[in-house]
Amino acid sequence: MINPNTSDKTQLDALMSQGMSHWQMDSSLGESYKEQRQRFLLKRLQLQAQIMLISGLTLITFFLWANSQVQGKIYAFKIGIAVEIFTLICWGLCKTSIGRRYPNLIFLSLCWSVTCAIQIDVALLFNSLEPRTNFWNLMFLTQATIVPVQWWLHLIAQLGTIGCYLILYLSYNPLLKNPSAFYIEQGLYFFWTCIICVFSVYLYERLRKKEFYARRAMELAQQKSERLLLNILPEMIAEQLKQQPTTIADSFLEVTVLFADIVGFTELSSRTSPAELVELLNTIFCLFDQLAERHGVEKIKTIGDAYMAVAGLPNQSNNHAPAIANMALDMQKAVATFNEENNQSFCIRIGISTGPVVAGVIGLKKFAYDLWGDTVNTASRMESHGIAGSIQVCEASYQLLKDKYLLEKRGLIQVKGKGEMMTYILKEINSKT
């Protein structure tokens, strides 16, 4: 569990800011504890006001019944209605911008409308300053149980009540009716009621704060695992696996598959340190990943220095061939730019094929989304039998691209396992279209 101290909150904020550029954070995750506590305080203040209205009616009814004199009944009715109206106003203010801005003032107002207002009214009308600790204890217990946040606010409410009474006592200096032992006993009850209320609020809020940051850490961990899962599997497949973790195999009538390979990589690996080689390969493949995302292409996997991607699945699209063609052309440009900036001489060979495939996830561990079918084999052959620095496409892809792209006929070539195949070299987008 995460402790709600400054260092933990700093660590949590730092974690939340890492790697979130491609992931939309949940709105509740960015919410601060202060904001949540503010909303909680307002809701509970409204609940407190409602309870005070109901309890106030019962007390008005009791005093009307208990007072035998008409004057006493009138007084009980007037002061009770005054408190009810003030409580109703505070309830209404909780739903306005004033309440959202100054909830602490509403909290104190609800408390002092009972503890102080009644005491002041009794002093002015009857010159009586008998401590009304029964009202005070009831009010403080009510607020501690219904609004258990901001312990210092509860302490201010209690000190304000005590201060109000002491000021009235010093101003009027009345004679108290009961012996001192009675008031000492009532004072002890009142003192420990206040201490227990403040301490319980403090413990509750500390627990709530720990729970808040623990929940935020859990939500962050869940989002990180979701992001990691989406880096491995397409979103649709990931959701399908979460709902029903079984073998997934879907047929697609027409997609376009791309294979890209770095020419001379084996020779380069023999004269380059492993760390440097992996760093170079990672940089290039990260560029390809960005292009795949830009063109709406699904990256399938990397095998050594080979890069495989597909368009038209898992979300089917009629624009799959142009999407792969645009990505292939941009891959050539990206490698050229990389060579210029890093003083390298990398060259890629790309093969493209269009046709039906089966795509899915098989096995029990280390899930990977993959493709199967003759179209995949053909794309691989288009790459392996291609020309360094060129983009070779099969006849099916050519038929989908010929109207919008410039392609050069390479002619029939002998393809391992396929025999003779007519192939074409993709040059560029046709600027005349």
Side-chain angles (χ1 to χ4, degrees):
M1 183 173 287
I2 294 180
N3 295 323
N5 53 37
T6 305
S7 62
D8 290 327
K9 288 188 284 185
T10 303
Q11 290 175 3
L12 183 58
D13 291 339
L15 285 172
M16 288 172 65
S17 64
Q18 291 177 1
M20 303 305 284
S21 57
H22 299 295
W23 183 263
Q24 184 65 37
M25 281 202 309
D26 189 273
S27 58
S28 65
L29 186 60
E31 183 185 44
S32 69
Y33 173 73
K34 184 178 179 180
E35 291 171 340
Q36 189 192 71
R37 186 180 62 184
Q38 187 90 338
R39 290 190 295 103
F40 175 81
L41 179 60
L42 279 171
K43 287 182 179 179
R44 288 303 183 89
L45 284 174
Q46 293 180 52
L47 177 61
Q48 181 190 348
Q50 293 171 3
I51 293 176
M52 286 177 62
L53 288 171
I54 297 172
S55 62
L57 290 175
T58 62
L59 290 173
I60 291 173
T61 303
F62 169 76
F63 286 118
L64 288 175
W65 171 78
N67 283 290
S68 57
Q69 299 180 356
V70 177
Q71 185 179 1
K73 292 180 182 290
I74 293 174
Y75 164 74
F77 180 78
K78 284 183 177 179
I79 194 169
I81 291 299
V83 172
E84 291 286 277
I85 292 174
F86 192 79
T87 303
L88 193 61
I89 292 173
C90 289
W91 183 23
L93 287 175
C94 287
K95 302 178 181 181
T96 66
S97 59
I98 297 175
R100 289 189 291 271
R101 187 176 299 178
Y102 306 109
N104 295 347
L105 293 181
I106 295 177
F107 178 94
L108 295 175
S109 298
L110 284 171
C111 177
W112 291 338
S113 67
V114 174
T115 61
C116 295
I118 294 177
Q119 194 74 62
I120 293 171
D121 194 57
V122 171
L124 293 176
L125 292 178
F126 302 102
N127 195 27
S128 173
L129 279 173
E130 291 292 319
R132 302 258 174 158
T133 54
N134 52 348
F135 282 110
W136 301 351
N137 290 336
L138 178 62
M139 191 67 229
F140 298 148
L141 285 170
T142 300
Q143 289 193 309
T145 53
I146 297 177
V147 195
V149 291
Q150 296 180 308
W151 63 268
W152 53 268
L153 196 59
H154 291 258
L155 184 60
I156 291 174
Q158 295 164 6
L159 293 176
T161 297
I162 297 171
C164 175
Y165 179 78
L166 291 177
I167 291 172
L168 290 173
Y169 185 86
L170 294 174
S171 300
Y172 287 87
N173 195 23
L175 293 175
L176 300 178
K177 301 176 182 178
N178 298 299
S180 59
F182 172 82
Y183 298 109
I184 292 174
E185 180 186 1
Q186 295 299 312
L188 287 173
Y189 287 137
F190 176 68
F191 171 78
W192 284 112
T193 298
C194 293
I195 293 296
I196 293 171
C197 286
V198 171
F199 190 60
S200 64
V201 170
Y202 167 76
L203 291 177
Y204 176 86
E205 183 162 22
R206 191 172 72 166
L207 180 63
R208 188 178 180 87
K209 188 179 291 186
K210 287 183 178 180
E211 180 188 4
F212 175 86
Y213 285 108
R215 187 170 63 253
R216 288 293 177 267
M218 183 178 66
E219 290 174 357
L220 178 62
Q222 183 178 0
Q223 287 199 358
K224 282 190 171 184
S225 65
E226 288 282 343
R227 187 173 69 250
L228 181 61
L229 182 62
L230 293 181
N231 279 335
I232 300 172
L233 301 172
E235 184 176 359
M236 182 187 299
I237 303 301
E239 288 297 327
Q240 193 172 342
L241 276 175
K242 286 192 290 185
Q243 297 295 328
Q244 190 176 5
T246 58
T247 300
I248 296 176
D250 298 315
S251 297
F252 296 88
L253 295 178
E254 190 177 73
V255 301
T256 300
V257 181
L258 173 149
F259 272 89
D261 181 76
I262 299 177
V263 180
F265 183 79
T266 303
E267 179 186 351
L268 177 67
S269 62
S270 64
R271 52 186 172 83
T272 306
S273 68
E276 184 180 358
L277 188 68
V278 170
E279 182 64 29
L280 289 172
L281 195 61
N282 178 68
T283 303
I284 294 174
F285 281 177
C286 284
L287 293 174
F288 292 171
D289 288 345
Q290 292 173 4
L291 292 175
E293 186 174 355
R294 182 191 306 171
H295 292 291
V297 171
E298 189 70 42
K299 174 187 175 181
I300 299 301
K301 59 185 175 182
T302 59
I303 310 169
D305 63 323
Y307 188 95
M308 178 183 177
V310 61
L313 61 80
N315 296 313
Q316 298 187 41
S317 168
N318 295 325
N319 200 41
H320 51 85
I324 286 290
N326 292 335
M327 178 176 173
L329 293 170
D330 283 347
M331 288 169 73
Q332 288 184 326
K333 296 176 184 177
V335 170
T337 303
F338 174 84
N339 289 336
E340 184 178 346
E341 293 176 351
N342 296 275
N343 194 26
Q344 297 289 337
S345 57
F346 286 113
C347 179
I348 59 171
R349 185 171 51 224
I350 300 176
I352 296 175
S353 175
T354 299
V357 297
V358 174
V361 179
I362 58 176
L364 298 175
K365 295 183 179 181
K366 296 184 179 179
F367 291 135
Y369 189 65
D370 210 346
L371 308 180
W372 300 274
D374 186 62
T375 302
V376 179
N377 298 330
T378 301
S380 178
R381 296 291 184 266
M382 289 296 100
E383 177 272 314
S384 62
H385 290 67
I387 303 171
S390 69
I391 304 170
Q392 182 165 253
V393 306
C394 69
E395 179 70 31
S397 299
Y398 168 76
Q399 294 299 328
L400 296 175
L401 298 173
K402 63 182 181 180
D403 294 332
K404 296 182 179 180
Y405 297 83
L406 296 177
L407 296 104
E408 179 182 297
K409 185 176 181 180
R410 185 183 180 190
L412 292 172
I413 63 170
Q414 190 69 28
V415 177
K416 181 181 178 181
K418 305 289 292 183
E420 287 190 338
M421 292 187 69
M422 180 65 68
T423 62
Y424 302 83
I425 303 299
L426 175 63
K427 292 295 186 179
E428 60 183 347
I429 297 175
N430 190 346
S431 58
K432 296 180 181 180
T433 58

